[in-house]
Amino acid sequence: MTSSEFTDNRSLKPPIRRTPSSSSPCAACTVRDLAVCSVLEGDELDQLNAIMIDVNLSKGDYLFHQGDEANLVFNIAAGAMQLSKLLPDGRRQVTGFLFGGDFLGLVSNREYTCSAEAITDVRLCKFRRLDLQNLFRDFPKMETRLLSMARNELAETQDQILMLGRKTSVERVASFLLKLSDRAVTRGESGNPVPLPMGRHGLGDYLGLTTESVSRALTRLKNKQIISDGATKQNILILDRNGLQELTGDL
Amino acid sequence: MTSSEFTDNRSLKPPIRRTPSSSSPCAACTVRDLAVCSVLEGDELDQLNAIMIDVNLSKGDYLFHQGDEANLVFNIAAGAMQLSKLLPDGRRQVTGFLFGGDFLGLVSNREYTCSAEAITDVRLCKFRRLDLQNLFRDFPKMETRLLSMARNELAETQDQILMLGRKTSVERVASFLLKLSDRAVTRGESGNPVPLPMGRHGLGDYLGLTTESVSRALTRLKNKQIISDGATKQNILILDRNGLQELTGDL
DNA sequence: CGTCTGTTTGATAGCGCTCAAAGGGGGTGG
DNA sequence: CCACCCCCTTTGAGCGCTATCAAACAGACG
């Protein structure tokens, strides 16, 4: 394990374009520096590419469902996905949103513990779990990288727990907007206006609120002149970032 | 990565005692089969032992605080600890309880993202993060094991998110009692009565409730004859396990 | 232009929080 | 050994935040 793998990469700089050192499609990937693949180069990428299958999803497609046998893992190349868990009576909890560079299937052992739905058109790299496992044997640094990503995911998840357990509806929405903005910056976008690929329903199910409560929280933020509608409802313009930060409850 | 590392070990059997194959203290450890160390043997354990420092904590002691520089990681040998995050205004969220065999410090990169408090007397193995890192270079299987543990922790954390986001107070308490009971079984205990080393306050801060709400939920379960007080308030007797399961909301 | 879906706004209700006080158990000192 | 005290837990009364139910509104699409 290199020492850099132990450092915080939650605040990654925008991806740096590399000069293609190989003919594999990976070489041109725009999110490679964010993904597992960032630790591989040249010939190694070719080997990864050999076991990779391209998959395209349309908005609304489910990639897998909670309880499906988890033989496949994925790497998101472009687009956004939503992970959710369902209670038998229909209550739903969205456990996370995934974007380009995110790894999908890390948690699962025997079966997927949640469902994965495309909330935009999505392009992803599919791997048979066993194939990837075999590659780990040759490139242990991939496992190191995956552990590092798991560590970050765990840290994020615990922030979510704090949010769900102790924050008010406005604090939750404020925290979420800032987080989404930061993530957009990580992917090399401006982060303002904040892109909201998910609907209010998905948002509510992520924040532990109803769509109505999300809507009311947003209205209150608008009334306070802290945010405003972007061009569409899928975009929110942050007018007063400091004000928004103060309303997160995190200070 | 061996294929067994990809299998679900959330339902581990009670620890199997090994015949000591080495003179290191680890050989006699009762939770070794649950911990990172389970993948090491004989000579390898000696190397682990060489960089390990024994630590003892009394109930109430803090091992580290949120924001401290995270140079150390730990393995809990015996006792129970409580991890918590604090908001500036004093609201607290307990993110997890750790028991024998659990790894402490997995999440952290630069600094600890939460505080760790001993809720019973605790014995633990302390490692300098860098020392352990170096050992990973020699024994990549430790990293594999750690990734497997991270995967399980992530799965548990997502159950917690579902609970905090979508469950009622009674469902939260019911889920928690069953989970704690299962964990006790994993450690080789009976699981009934359920040991509750944490106070009602810690419990509430874990469940996203107040102590009063926890108390009321427990009272309701007692009135329904589903649980009853154990010998002390630190123990709860499950009278009707099926009834308790039905009240978790998970069916 | 009409329909359909998703969002916002409004009125009301309920669950869990807050504030308050009583109950209980363990430890300490007399 | 008992009495007292302190802290934790339980119980009670009332309130507030978010859910629920319902309807108006808006935007996308045919």
Side-chain angles (χ1 to χ4, degrees):
Chain A
M1 171 174 276
T2 65
S3 93
S4 74
E5 290 302 337
F6 252 130
T7 60
D8 194 336
N9 60 2
R10 278 210 279 177
S11 52
L12 273 172
K13 295 292 175 296
I16 301 139
R17 297 289 175 278
R18 309 186 186 212
T19 47
S21 59
S22 144
S23 59
S24 78
C26 298
C29 178
T30 60
V31 297
R32 185 154 69 87
D33 297 277
L34 301 171
V36 224
C37 342
S38 63
V39 293
L40 301 181
E41 305 200 35
D43 179 50
E44 299 168 341
L45 272 183
D46 293 340
Q47 289 193 48
L48 182 67
N49 206 53
I51 61 168
M52 188 198 93
I53 301 147
D54 264 316
V55 176
N56 285 288
L57 299 176
S58 301
K59 177 174 172 171
D61 287 352
Y62 275 85
L63 182 58
F64 53 75
H65 287 88
Q66 186 174 3
D68 287 354
E69 210 180 331
N71 299 320
L72 303 168
V73 297
F74 308 87
N75 210 22
I76 299 185
M81 302 203 63
Q82 167 176 295
L83 302 180
S84 61
K85 280 172 163 279
L86 222 50
L87 288 176
D89 64 1
R91 281 175 289 179
R92 191 179 70 151
Q93 176 66 39
V94 171
T95 55
F97 297 105
L98 300 183
F99 301 93
D102 286 339
F103 192 82
L104 182 44
L106 181 61
V107 192
S108 311
N109 278 305
R110 222 176 57 79
E111 26 180 74
Y112 297 115
T113 56
C114 56
S115 306
E117 178 188 1
I119 54 178
T120 66
D121 289 352
V122 166
R123 195 160 41 79
L124 30 80
C125 312
K126 172 170 108 178
F127 304 93
R128 289 192 355 190
R129 183 194 277 292
L130 284 172
D131 290 341
L132 206 60
Q133 237 170 279
N134 288 334
L135 212 59
F136 286 174
R137 222 177 18 221
D138 296 333
F139 308 128
K141 59 185 171 183
M142 282 189 76
E143 204 157 38
T144 302
R145 172 69 179 146
L146 218 50
L147 183 58
S148 172
M149 291 176 75
R151 203 180 290 123
N152 288 325
E153 195 169 331
L154 220 31
E156 270 199 32
T157 301
Q158 291 186 351
D159 287 340
Q160 197 180 347
I161 282 175
L162 174 62
M163 180 196 79
L164 290 171
R166 290 302 179 212
K167 287 190 180 180
T168 66
S169 62
V170 170
E171 287 170 340
R172 295 181 199 200
V173 170
S175 305
F176 182 72
L177 288 175
L178 284 171
K179 178 173 151 180
L180 220 55
S181 174
D182 289 345
R183 288 216 59 176
V185 171
T186 303
R187 292 194 306 280
E189 303 165 23
S190 87
N192 198 14
V194 186
L196 289 177
M198 66 296 296
R200 298 286 186 271
H201 189 62
L203 228 158
D205 282 349
Y206 177 80
L207 299 175
L209 300 169
T210 59
T211 63
E212 295 96 324
S213 292
V214 172
S215 187
R216 278 185 245 272
L218 286 170
T219 303
R220 281 164 77 181
L221 291 176
K222 286 173 199 161
N223 291 341
K224 287 191 179 184
Q225 314 271 352
I226 286 178
I227 62 171
S228 116
D229 278 326
T232 76
K233 288 191 175 153
Q234 307 288 339
N235 284 274
I236 294 230
L237 196 61
I238 298 177
L239 303 174
D240 177 2
R241 199 175 189 88
N242 289 336
L244 197 55
Q245 247 143 6
E246 283 167 19
L247 288 173
T248 59
D250 301 322
L251 183 75
Chain B
M1 172 175 275
T2 64
S3 94
S4 75
E5 290 304 338
F6 251 133
T7 61
D8 192 336
N9 60 3
R10 277 209 280 176
S11 51
L12 273 172
K13 297 290 175 300
I16 301 141
R17 296 291 176 276
R18 309 186 186 213
T19 47
S21 59
S22 144
S23 59
S24 77
C26 297
C29 177
T30 60
V31 296
R32 185 154 68 86
D33 296 277
L34 300 173
V36 225
C37 342
S38 64
V39 295
L40 301 182
E41 307 200 35
D43 180 50
E44 299 168 342
L45 271 182
D46 292 341
Q47 290 193 48
L48 182 67
N49 205 54
I51 60 168
M52 188 198 93
I53 301 145
D54 265 315
V55 176
N56 285 288
L57 298 176
S58 302
K59 178 174 173 169
D61 288 351
Y62 274 84
L63 182 58
F64 53 75
H65 287 88
Q66 187 175 1
D68 288 354
E69 208 179 333
N71 298 321
L72 303 168
V73 297
F74 308 87
N75 210 23
I76 299 187
M81 303 204 63
Q82 167 176 298
L83 302 180
S84 61
K85 279 173 164 278
L86 223 47
L87 288 176
D89 64 2
R91 282 176 287 178
R92 190 179 70 151
Q93 176 67 38
V94 171
T95 55
F97 297 107
L98 300 182
F99 301 94
D102 286 339
F103 192 82
L104 183 45
L106 182 60
V107 192
S108 312
N109 278 305
R110 225 178 55 79
E111 30 181 67
Y112 298 114
T113 56
C114 56
S115 305
E117 177 188 2
I119 53 179
T120 65
D121 288 354
V122 166
R123 194 158 42 79
L124 30 81
C125 313
K126 172 169 107 178
F127 304 93
R128 290 194 355 199
R129 182 193 280 289
L130 283 173
D131 290 340
L132 206 59
Q133 238 170 278
N134 289 335
L135 213 58
F136 285 173
R137 223 176 21 221
D138 296 332
F139 307 129
K141 59 186 174 184
M142 281 189 78
E143 205 158 38
T144 302
R145 172 71 178 145
L146 218 50
L147 183 57
S148 171
M149 292 176 77
R151 203 181 289 124
N152 289 323
E153 195 168 333
L154 219 31
E156 268 198 33
T157 302
Q158 292 186 351
D159 287 340
Q160 197 180 346
I161 281 175
L162 174 61
M163 180 196 78
L164 291 170
R166 289 305 180 208
K167 288 190 181 181
T168 66
S169 62
V170 171
E171 287 170 338
R172 295 181 198 199
V173 170
S175 305
F176 182 72
L177 288 176
L178 283 171
K179 178 174 152 180
L180 221 55
S181 174
D182 289 346
R183 288 215 62 175
V185 171
T186 303
R187 293 194 305 279
E189 304 166 20
S190 86
N192 199 13
V194 185
L196 290 177
M198 67 295 295
R200 296 289 185 269
H201 190 61
L203 229 156
D205 282 349
Y206 177 80
L207 299 174
L209 300 169
T210 59
T211 63
E212 295 95 325
S213 292
V214 172
S215 187
R216 279 185 246 272
L218 287 170
T219 302
R220 286 216 247 159
L221 291 176
K222 285 172 199 161
N223 291 341
K224 288 191 179 187
Q225 314 271 353
I226 285 177
I227 62 170
S228 118
D229 278 326
T232 77
K233 288 194 175 151
Q234 306 288 337
N235 283 274
I236 294 232
L237 196 61
I238 299 179
L239 303 174
D240 176 2
R241 199 175 189 88
N242 290 335
L244 196 55
Q245 246 143 7
E246 282 166 21
L247 288 173
T248 59
D250 302 320
L251 184 73

